Amino acid sequence: DLVNTGREILANIATPASLNFSDAFSRQTLNKDELTRTGSFYINILNDADTLVGTDRAFLLGPWIEMARRLDSGQNDCTTPILTDNPSGDCRRFLEWNARAQITTWKPVAKSDTSIPQGPIDYASKHWQGLIKDYYSKRAQITLEQALWDEKAGLPLNTTMIGRLRAELAYNFTTATNKYPTTPTGDGVAMSRVIFDKYSSWFQCNKNADRAQVKAISR
């Protein structure tokens, strides 16, 4: 319950923080300080959430992937042109790819895609350790880096490049086979104290769910 409460609070803070960041990178004239402040804050929230939920088995990505792989019936007839490294049709590999795609892009992303296919993107998103840091946080990070590059060049955000970078991230994540923990890491009580100390000034804003107040504090 403690970890879940902290997760919900961070999620509620992350929502207005992401909107602040979105406002910053959507401006016709980008501002380096605003981008860095709002982007870094949002990314830090995501990374802290990843660490917090990693202390509770209910919020781990590892068991989801392992469960998918166990659905294998021992056959080698699971093929897709997207998994170029699986010519034998290993069904465990195929099932893991499906499990990763379901909780991210929903529709498969090919290596050649220049954007994520239209559809219910993030439809089945989860607040799971591993998924937050390796997908959502990285997605925000590449947006920040591209926005800062464009700001330096005196240009608005290159949304075409963002589409390509996000598609590349999605392809790499969904086709990866790296292992994720299946047992909790760290102390949930200790990490909850860290989260409380770091974000306590935001709790009143979280209670009111008022984006204007959150934005005022973030500045």
Side-chain angles (χ1 to χ4, degrees):
D1 288 348
L2 180 63
V3 171
N4 191 33
T5 298
R7 177 196 63 80
E8 290 183 357
I9 289 173
L10 287 179
N12 286 340
I13 296 173
T15 298
S18 70
L19 292 173
N20 291 344
F21 180 39
S22 178
D23 283 348
F25 67 67
S26 298
R27 301 189 191 286
Q28 190 65 23
T29 301
L30 300 174
N31 181 283
K32 179 180 178 180
D33 290 340
E34 184 183 19
L35 288 167
T36 302
R37 181 181 64 254
T38 58
S40 297
F41 182 68
Y42 177 50
I43 291 167
N44 283 335
I45 293 173
L46 294 177
N47 290 337
D48 285 340
D50 188 271
T51 302
L52 176 64
V53 299
T55 65
D56 189 323
R57 193 181 188 283
F59 301 106
L60 302 182
L61 174 59
W64 168 257
I65 292 176
E66 292 304 313
M67 178 179 64
R69 292 179 65 89
R70 285 197 299 270
L71 293 175
D72 170 44
S73 60
Q75 302 298 313
N76 286 312
D77 57 357
C78 301
T79 60
T80 170
I82 292 178
L83 294 179
T84 57
D85 63 344
N86 189 38
S88 65
D90 182 350
C91 287
R92 290 171 299 178
R93 179 81 174 84
F94 180 88
L95 290 165
E96 177 173 352
W97 166 67
N98 267 273
R100 287 171 177 255
Q102 181 179 329
I103 57 176
T104 51
T105 60
W106 192 263
K107 292 183 178 180
V109 178
K111 189 173 184 178
S112 60
D113 285 340
T114 56
S115 64
I116 296 174
Q118 292 297 313
I121 299 172
D122 293 343
Y123 171 73
S125 62
K126 310 293 183 185
H127 296 164
W128 287 348
Q129 184 271 337
L131 177 61
I132 300 174
K133 187 173 184 179
D134 286 352
Y135 188 69
Y136 298 118
S137 179
K138 285 186 177 181
R139 188 169 67 181
Q141 184 66 44
I142 62 176
T143 302
L144 175 59
E145 291 173 358
Q146 181 64 42
L148 289 173
W149 192 96
D150 290 331
E151 184 278 332
K152 187 175 181 179
L155 301 170
L157 182 67
N158 187 334
T159 54
T160 299
M161 181 58 71
I162 287 294
R164 290 175 179 171
L165 292 171
R166 290 185 175 182
E168 180 181 12
L169 171 66
Y171 172 79
N172 289 338
F173 181 84
T174 56
T175 60
T177 57
N178 57 302
K179 299 292 185 181
Y180 285 99
T182 55
T183 56
T185 303
D187 185 319
V189 174
M191 187 59 198
S192 294
R193 289 194 179 108
V194 171
I195 295 298
F196 179 83
D197 291 341
K198 186 172 183 178
Y199 295 99
S200 58
S201 63
W202 292 77
F203 290 174
Q204 186 61 45
C205 295
N206 183 58
K207 288 180 181 179
N208 296 330
D210 187 332
R211 181 186 172 201
Q213 286 188 311
V214 173
K215 179 177 284 190
I217 290 181
S218 69
R219 292 178 175 175

